[in-house]
Amino acid sequence: MKRVGLKDVAAEAGVSVTTVSHILNNVQGKRINAETRRLVLEVAEHLGYQPNDLARGLRLRRSNTVGFVSDEIATTPHAGQIIRGAQEAAAQNGLMLLMLNTGNDRDLEDKEIALLLRHQVDGVLYASMYHRVVEVPQRLASVPTVLLDARSDDPAVPSVVPDEEQGGRTATRELLAHGHRRIGFVNNIDDIPASRGRLAGYRGELAEAGIDFDPSLVVTEDSVAAGGYRGSRTLLGLDDPPTALFCFNDRMAMGAYRAASEAGLAIPADLSVIGFDNQELISENLFPALTTVALPHYEMGARAIFHLQQVIDRAEPLGAAVHEVLHCPLISRDSVARPRT
Amino acid sequence: MKRVGLKDVAAEAGVSVTTVSHILNNVQGKRINAETRRLVLEVAEHLGYQPNDLARGLRLRRSNTVGFVSDEIATTPHAGQIIRGAQEAAAQNGLMLLMLNTGNDRDLEDKEIALLLRHQVDGVLYASMYHRVVEVPQRLASVPTVLLDARSDDPAVPSVVPDEEQGGRTATRELLAHGHRRIGFVNNIDDIPASRGRLAGYRGELAEAGIDFDPSLVVTEDSVAAGGYRGSRTLLGLDDPPTALFCFNDRMAMGAYRAASEAGLAIPADLSVIGFDNQELISENLFPALTTVALPHYEMGARAIFHLQQVIDRAEPLGAAVHEVLHCPLISRDSVARPRT
């Protein structure tokens, strides 16, 4: 299992290690006999020599690795797409991701980031598994850093987040386009950018359609199926119930399906439902399949690497950091139709 | 943002780079003045010097990184737990994970693994996102490798997989323990270790309970909600229908819920349902919450790192490789009860 080194190639080819190094590292300005070059390359190929990126990184002061630090990667099925987006973009730049999960433990995070820095990462993606405002760890001040699905109070740190308000508009517009006028919104009770932004989008789109905002049509609950069920029951129990429900996320929409079923309402004939997040495990497996708005996880991962590479290449802190807001697309399935008249 | 190096410490402390190196790298057998040592350590601390693990790795022929190569990390919400298990175990061994996702593209995989090897990883976890038999890439022959949620035809490669048969037994036993005698099995139509093993567990447990195997109680369908719905309808339409359904996975159980609802059967009063996988997004959000059998993803990740570390420490290929089979525990929720009499 021993790795083949320059020494082994030199011994086999009968030339000096320096010569082998000049040839295999493509050092410019060295006079090397063409026959020797051919021989060394042949021997290196034959022995299975692999260049050592650690050594190269030391010379160039680049490790070609990027730290991917996340709070709670494991609790969300979104993680895979964020990582995949970051990884594929990183690979295109010749970078590899070093993964760290901190479990929201600041002491652990501090120790792990110290370890990352010892590995000489060229930069760090600091990812939150849902869109929120984070405090960037002190230690990251010394290395290019981009926030992923998170923002900092410090505007100097670049960030990539989803456009929650546009997503809320998109969901509401889809229901309006099918002719709904009384649209309920089953929102998340947590005061986070997603709940604020999606509500703003819902209100903005109603206003544009000339529909007065009716606060009785908005309920807030825990962002799980049981919360969606409770919120939907409340709205469906109104004297003048909505004909369509916009649910904060797909889990809450799952609860809306149960509430509709208990009320004897068929989806979408009697009640239209639209979700958010596009958690395919739910949205594809519900019946009827759920129309929803997707969080652009793959794109967020990819764009964060793009911005990080920009900062690394510039090798200076940015004057004005980039804060990119990504579009949340509509995913049409089978849960939205025209209301009964 | 410039990193502080030995040179900077030496200049600030007014001593030679060699002396600083001896002190900061704890080189043994060098006579160094206690006052000088104190000064250098103070200056290093003051300037924020971080040891360079790249340089250290070069000296020790260890990079303290492990490659995590997976086929399709993104398509399964299990990914997070596998990665978290591997990562936390790695951190305990002072190792970090370099992530690679190959998207089941052999050419891409080959190129990416070559890149990993250039980064001088100490070993590789080769992970499948569901339990299957894989062909280990040729390039990995030169580096310690452990298969995660996968087996190879080559018995020399250590592996960690879930105990599918025991999981099937556990699910069946839970239904038997509640008094069910006619238990339907809605299996996956794909011929993979999970479908074979879970069926073997189902049959074995029935046999132990003295119940004859009735092939009409086993159906095979696509392993999604729509398949679970079709299979459950078939079984519930029998002249002597089962009182309980064991579903191959939680997605199929989601379809069983729909079939039960359409047939006017309440879960668990009229029909007990048990799933497999413990995909919490489904199992916790279904109503009633789904009793299921968990795949030990976190543990698989952690144990794979444990075995990899053993192989790395031994620095020789194993005579007889370890193939660990991990227990799949029951997760009791609300979908199993005694049958109506």
Side-chain angles (χ1 to χ4, degrees):
Chain A
M1 286 213 184
K2 193 169 163 303
R3 288 183 205 282
V4 176
L6 293 180
K7 254 193 244 178
D8 306 299
V9 176
E12 181 80 12
V15 301
S16 75
V17 173
T18 310
T19 303
V20 171
S21 167
H22 287 161
I23 293 169
L24 296 181
N25 290 313
N26 259 321
V27 177
Q28 301 302 311
K30 302 288 169 187
R31 224 187 306 229
I32 286 166
N33 180 288
E35 178 62 18
T36 306
R37 180 184 301 274
R38 199 191 49 74
L39 173 69
V40 165
L41 291 174
E42 243 179 49
V43 168
E45 167 86 25
H46 174 70
L47 294 180
Y49 169 79
Q50 297 277 357
N52 184 331
D53 275 9
L54 284 189
R56 215 168 149 264
L58 263 183
R59 279 198 312 277
L60 302 177
R61 296 188 151 253
R62 280 283 176 93
S63 66
N64 292 316
T65 55
V66 162
F68 184 99
V69 179
S70 70
D71 46 8
E72 259 307 339
I73 195 181
T75 55
T76 155
H78 297 324
Q81 289 291 354
I82 294 181
I83 294 170
R84 194 164 71 89
Q87 200 178 280
E88 292 185 3
Q92 282 166 18
N93 289 315
L95 297 170
M96 302 193 69
L97 297 186
L98 275 166
M99 300 288 299
L100 273 189
N101 181 53
T102 64
N104 280 319
D105 174 336
R106 290 302 275 204
D107 287 344
L108 180 67
E109 181 178 86
D110 188 61
K111 274 170 55 184
E112 295 200 329
I113 290 176
L115 192 63
L116 262 188
L117 297 181
R118 289 177 54 165
H119 271 275
Q120 314 291 320
V121 289
D122 297 336
V124 168
L125 297 188
Y126 189 73
S128 166
M129 286 307 151
Y130 67 93
H131 181 180
R132 62 194 181 93
V133 175
V134 296
E135 207 182 305
V136 182
Q138 191 59 46
R139 278 189 195 277
L140 290 181
S142 67
V143 65
T145 299
V146 171
L147 299 176
L148 208 174
D149 207 3
R151 270 183 199 279
S152 161
D153 283 333
D154 175 359
V157 187
S159 64
V160 179
V161 297
D163 191 339
E164 308 286 1
E165 181 166 344
Q166 165 268 315
R169 279 185 177 268
T170 295
T172 310
R173 190 180 310 131
E174 176 68 1
L175 297 171
L176 289 168
H178 280 80
H180 294 277
R181 307 284 293 173
R182 275 189 78 69
I183 298 172
F185 181 29
V186 184
N187 201 1
N188 179 0
I189 200 163
D190 299 324
D191 183 28
I192 55 176
S195 48
R196 285 196 297 272
R198 294 172 199 179
L199 177 61
Y202 164 83
R203 294 189 62 155
E205 201 65 20
L206 289 182
E208 266 187 32
I211 298 174
D212 286 338
F213 174 67
D214 176 352
S216 75
L217 285 177
V218 177
V219 291
T220 59
E221 290 282 356
D222 296 336
S223 61
V224 295
Y229 169 74
R230 286 192 302 270
S232 300
R233 268 176 63 107
T234 303
L235 294 178
L236 296 177
L238 292 175
D239 288 338
D240 185 9
T243 59
L245 297 178
F246 167 27
C247 295
F248 172 79
N249 64 18
D250 296 349
R251 279 175 295 170
M252 294 186 91
M254 202 168 160
Y257 272 52
R258 181 180 151 217
S261 166
E262 286 185 8
L265 299 172
I267 298 170
D270 304 315
L271 180 72
S272 288
V273 176
I274 192 163
F276 209 110
D277 284 6
N278 194 30
Q279 295 204 310
E280 290 164 354
L281 208 51
I282 291 177
S283 53
E284 289 180 352
N285 283 291
L286 278 173
F287 182 84
L290 181 68
T291 293
T292 189
V293 176
L295 284 170
H297 285 112
Y298 181 91
E299 292 72 18
M300 282 197 282
R303 293 297 294 173
I305 285 286
F306 173 82
H307 293 303
L308 186 61
Q309 184 71 60
Q310 301 275 98
V311 180
I312 293 171
D313 288 346
R314 229 169 281 146
E316 301 255 348
L318 284 173
V322 175
H323 297 283
E324 189 170 24
V325 175
L326 291 180
H327 183 81
C328 299
L330 178 73
I331 310 291
S332 270
R333 294 198 183 91
D334 308 322
S335 60
V336 174
R338 298 196 70 79
R340 289 194 195 275
T341 44
Chain B
M1 287 214 186
K2 192 170 163 304
R3 288 183 205 282
V4 176
L6 294 180
K7 254 192 245 179
D8 306 299
V9 177
E12 181 80 11
V15 299
S16 75
V17 173
T18 309
T19 302
V20 171
S21 167
H22 287 162
I23 293 169
L24 296 181
N25 290 313
N26 258 319
V27 177
Q28 299 304 309
K30 302 288 169 190
R31 225 186 307 229
I32 287 164
N33 182 288
E35 179 61 19
T36 307
R37 181 182 302 275
R38 199 192 49 74
L39 173 69
V40 165
L41 291 174
E42 244 181 48
V43 168
E45 167 86 27
H46 175 69
L47 294 180
Y49 168 79
Q50 296 278 355
N52 183 332
D53 275 8
L54 284 190
R56 221 173 144 260
L58 262 186
R59 277 201 311 280
L60 303 179
R61 294 187 151 256
R62 281 284 177 91
S63 66
N64 293 317
T65 55
V66 162
F68 185 99
V69 180
S70 69
D71 45 9
E72 259 307 343
I73 197 178
T75 56
T76 155
H78 297 324
Q81 288 293 353
I82 295 182
I83 294 170
R84 195 165 70 90
Q87 200 177 278
E88 293 185 2
Q92 281 166 18
N93 290 313
L95 297 170
M96 302 193 69
L97 296 187
L98 275 165
M99 299 289 300
L100 272 189
N101 181 52
T102 65
N104 279 318
D105 174 336
R106 291 302 274 202
D107 286 344
L108 180 66
E109 180 177 85
D110 188 61
K111 275 171 54 184
E112 294 199 331
I113 290 177
L115 191 64
L116 262 189
L117 297 182
R118 289 177 54 164
H119 270 275
Q120 313 292 319
V121 289
D122 297 335
V124 168
L125 296 188
Y126 189 74
S128 166
M129 286 309 151
Y130 68 92
H131 180 181
R132 63 192 180 95
V133 175
V134 296
E135 207 181 307
V136 182
Q138 191 60 44
R139 276 190 197 276
L140 291 180
S142 67
V143 65
T145 299
V146 171
L147 300 176
L148 208 174
D149 208 2
R151 269 183 199 278
S152 162
D153 284 332
D154 175 358
V157 187
S159 65
V160 179
V161 297
D163 192 339
E164 308 286 0
E165 182 168 342
Q166 165 268 315
R169 278 184 176 269
T170 296
T172 310
R173 190 179 311 131
E174 176 70 0
L175 297 171
L176 288 168
H178 280 80
H180 294 278
R181 307 284 295 173
R182 277 191 77 69
I183 298 172
F185 181 28
V186 184
N187 201 1
N188 178 0
I189 200 164
D190 299 324
D191 184 28
I192 55 175
S195 48
R196 284 196 298 272
R198 294 173 199 179
L199 177 61
Y202 165 81
R203 293 189 61 156
E205 201 66 18
L206 288 182
E208 266 187 32
I211 298 174
D212 286 340
F213 174 66
D214 177 353
S216 75
L217 286 177
V218 178
V219 291
T220 58
E221 289 282 356
D222 296 336
S223 62
V224 294
Y229 169 73
R230 285 193 303 270
S232 301
R233 267 177 62 106
T234 303
L235 293 177
L236 297 176
L238 292 175
D239 288 339
D240 185 10
T243 59
L245 297 178
F246 168 26
C247 296
F248 172 80
N249 65 19
D250 295 350
R251 280 175 296 170
M252 294 186 92
M254 201 167 161
Y257 272 52
R258 182 180 150 218
S261 166
E262 286 185 10
L265 299 173
I267 297 171
D270 304 315
L271 180 73
S272 288
V273 177
I274 192 164
F276 208 112
D277 285 5
N278 195 30
Q279 295 203 310
E280 289 163 353
L281 209 51
I282 291 178
S283 53
E284 289 181 350
N285 284 292
L286 278 173
F287 183 83
L290 181 67
T291 293
T292 190
V293 176
L295 284 170
H297 285 111
Y298 181 90
E299 292 73 16
M300 283 197 283
R303 293 297 294 173
I305 285 286
F306 172 81
H307 293 303
L308 187 62
Q309 185 70 61
Q310 301 274 97
V311 180
I312 292 171
D313 288 346
R314 230 170 280 145
E316 303 256 346
L318 282 175
V322 176
H323 297 284
E324 190 169 24
V325 175
L326 291 180
H327 183 80
C328 299
L330 178 74
I331 309 291
S332 271
R333 294 197 183 90
D334 308 322
S335 61
V336 175
R338 299 195 68 79
R340 287 194 197 276
T341 43

